[in-house]
Amino acid sequence: MFDEESREISDTIGRLLKEANAKSVYLVDKDGQLIASSGETSNIDSTSLASLTAGNIAATGGLAKLIGEKEFSILFHEGEKDNIHISIAGERVILVVIFDERSSLGLVRLRVKKANEALTRCIENILKKMSSGKAKENLLEEISDEDIEKLFQ
Amino acid sequence: MSFINYSAKEINCKVVYYGPGLCGKTTNLNFVHKKMKPDSRGKMISLATETERTLFFDFLPLALGEIRGFKTRFHLYTVPGQIFYDASRKLILKGVDGIVFVADSQVERMDANMESFDNMKSNLVEHGYSLDKVPYVIQYNKRDISNCVPVAEMKKVLNVDGVPDFEACATEGAGVFETLKGVIKLVLAELRKGA
Ligand SMILES: Nc1nc2c(ncn2[C@@H]2O[C@H](COP(=O)(O)OP(=O)(O)O)[C@@H](O)[C@H]2O)c(=O)[nH]1
Ligand SMILES: [Mg+2]
């Protein structure tokens, strides 16, 4: 990801957090990598959250195909105290909003819709930049066996 | 594919352990989990049935050191081996950067190895990938058992592409890290080519 888009993404999810009165907001790649987060995130294992969310979206996507739908773009899980709202943004990323009784499903849904538009634009820009080759920095010119050994020390 | 986060200076890669049911995929991850330092491994998640068969996936995130100033994170997944879980196997291959094919060295599992290998190929194709593009290594696991197939024979059947391969006994841990390093090396090399 690039600095400009990175900033825009954190601004967007920060705004969503406030406007939706949510506890925390996460943006996750469909492959299970965490992209960004905002709010009370310290007591949740975000790596696990990202992987399980992506698995969840993948599984329901499989279900959708079975019944002839393209995908289910919104999932909602209701808990005793906390609820999770999961939605797909820009076809490529997943937006996760965790909220409690200080907010409501209606409010979250409304704010997520707005945030989705901004995120979709952002993701498109990133993908464009990546394919136009701006990402082609000489990142890993020469990786030696020692480099790899060092990773495990 | 590999998610390079330039602003956080992070490289995230997804490695999938594939292979027939009970060949030792979960055992590989368990061993890695046990041996990694706590500060470089995340929580291991196993979505398993009550009889400990992998239902959806096992997941182990590793945050390793830096390469050229980029933090590296590897997310290790296993697939469920049973034939009837093909739908979930397919899902887990999505976005894969590298594969460890774990073969079971027991004579009676050779058919299952080949079946699983073919299944992996066709599932990759469904995602628009192919085995000559996705880096992979092969592990001949359970070398400790008495009725195991000679490695040369397993190579002939399973390693037609001549990729890096490793003998292992995952329950004892022998060969587990060699295999992991082997696939990581290939993944990073591929990233270098593509990046
Ligand atoms: N003898 C022997 N048994 C193994 C080895 N690796 C795994 N196993 C056993 O094989 C069984 C299945 O292993 P598991 O990791 O659950 O297989 P998975 O279905 O591929 O995840 C377990 O009982 C393991 O203890 C090995 O190297 N040698
Ligand atoms: Mg398993």
Side-chain angles (χ1 to χ4, degrees):
Chain A
M1 236 195 331
F2 308 91
D3 290 335
E4 191 186 331
E5 281 74 19
S6 174
R7 218 173 308 116
E8 203 175 327
I9 284 178
S10 10
D11 288 352
T12 307
I13 63 171
R15 206 175 319 124
L16 171 63
L17 177 83
K18 274 202 213 94
E19 292 183 353
N21 240 347
K23 288 176 80 172
S24 54
V25 176
Y26 298 82
L27 194 68
V28 176
D29 187 68
K30 268 192 177 173
D31 301 334
Q33 318 274 12
L34 181 72
I35 299 172
S37 65
S38 178
E40 293 170 39
T41 54
S42 56
N43 51 355
I44 294 177
D45 175 356
S46 58
T47 311
S48 299
L49 179 129
S51 160
L52 289 172
T53 307
N56 199 345
I57 281 286
T60 43
L63 277 176
K65 287 217 182 67
L66 273 186
I67 66 162
E69 284 286 326
K70 190 162 155 264
E71 68 184 353
F72 297 119
S73 51
I74 293 179
L75 308 176
F76 175 59
H77 301 301
E78 189 174 349
E80 270 176 25
K81 285 206 299 281
D82 291 340
N83 314 295
I84 300 194
H85 185 282
I86 300 173
S87 59
I88 298 173
E91 293 190 5
R92 181 69 219 257
V93 296
I94 305 167
L95 186 56
V96 181
V97 180
I98 300 180
F99 65 96
D100 60 15
E101 80 285 343
R102 286 170 291 178
S103 182
S104 72
L105 179 57
L107 179 67
V108 169
R109 192 169 270 188
L110 190 75
R111 300 307 191 202
V112 159
K113 207 169 161 195
K114 192 172 131 198
N116 262 350
E117 287 165 16
L119 289 172
T120 302
R121 244 181 296 124
C122 223
I123 301 297
E124 274 167 9
N125 282 343
I126 292 175
L127 291 179
K128 241 183 264 157
K129 275 195 189 175
M130 284 178 83
S131 63
S132 77
K134 282 195 186 151
K136 287 179 186 167
E137 288 173 34
N138 260 346
L139 163 62
L140 302 160
E141 279 169 350
E142 213 43 68
I143 305 160
S144 60
D145 286 2
E146 291 101 272
D147 283 334
I148 300 207
E149 284 298 326
K150 253 188 252 151
L151 289 180
F152 285 90
Q153 274 161 18
Chain B
M1 293 262 169
S2 322
F3 189 85
I4 302 180
N5 192 331
Y6 284 92
S7 67
K9 294 217 116 198
E10 266 180 26
I11 299 172
N12 291 298
C13 297
K14 176 170 178 176
V15 173
V16 174
Y17 283 69
Y18 210 99
L22 300 179
C23 66
K25 300 175 292 294
T26 302
T27 311
N28 263 274
L29 254 62
N30 278 334
F31 186 79
V32 172
H33 181 255
K34 205 168 68 191
K35 287 292 163 183
M36 291 299 287
K37 276 180 291 180
D39 58 340
S40 52
R41 62 167 151 85
K43 210 167 119 194
M44 176 151 168
I45 292 179
S46 284
L47 300 183
T49 63
E50 276 169 20
T51 52
E52 300 204 352
R53 302 296 303 271
T54 308
L55 174 64
F56 194 10
F57 57 73
D58 304 304
F59 169 66
L60 176 61
L62 300 177
L64 301 182
E66 290 188 358
I67 286 192
R68 323 262 139 177
F70 277 74
K71 271 179 259 156
T72 56
R73 287 176 198 280
F74 290 87
H75 288 181
L76 312 185
Y77 285 82
T78 74
V79 297
Q82 300 95 303
I83 312 236
F84 48 91
Y85 284 131
D86 198 39
S88 359
R89 263 198 302 281
K90 226 174 279 174
L91 297 175
I92 294 152
L93 280 179
K94 210 172 152 299
V96 68
D97 295 301
I99 300 175
V100 173
F101 184 84
V102 181
D104 194 322
S105 299
Q106 298 175 88
V107 172
E108 62 273 21
R109 295 301 284 163
M110 278 311 277
D111 283 350
N113 288 331
M114 287 187 267
E115 220 170 282
S116 175
F117 196 83
D118 288 343
N119 174 260
M120 172 174 82
K121 271 202 251 181
S122 59
N123 279 339
L124 283 171
V125 168
E126 282 198 34
H127 282 300
Y129 316 145
S130 80
L131 252 199
D132 46 298
K133 297 268 166 55
V134 180
Y136 76 103
V137 302
I138 298 178
Q139 179 185 77
Y140 311 112
N141 190 30
K142 308 199 186 176
R143 294 314 297 172
D144 57 309
I145 48 158
S146 52
N147 67 335
C148 58
V149 180
V151 168
E153 210 167 301
M154 294 189 76
K155 265 184 203 278
K156 224 187 293 170
V157 180
L158 295 168
N159 197 358
V160 280
D161 296 330
V163 300
D165 51 6
F166 306 88
E167 293 180 41
C169 169
T171 34
E172 305 288 319
V176 168
F177 275 97
E178 288 76 1
T179 308
L180 178 59
K181 285 175 195 172
V183 73
I184 284 179
K185 203 185 288 183
L186 291 187
V187 167
L188 292 177
E190 187 65 24
L191 211 61
R192 179 178 37 166
K193 265 197 278 170

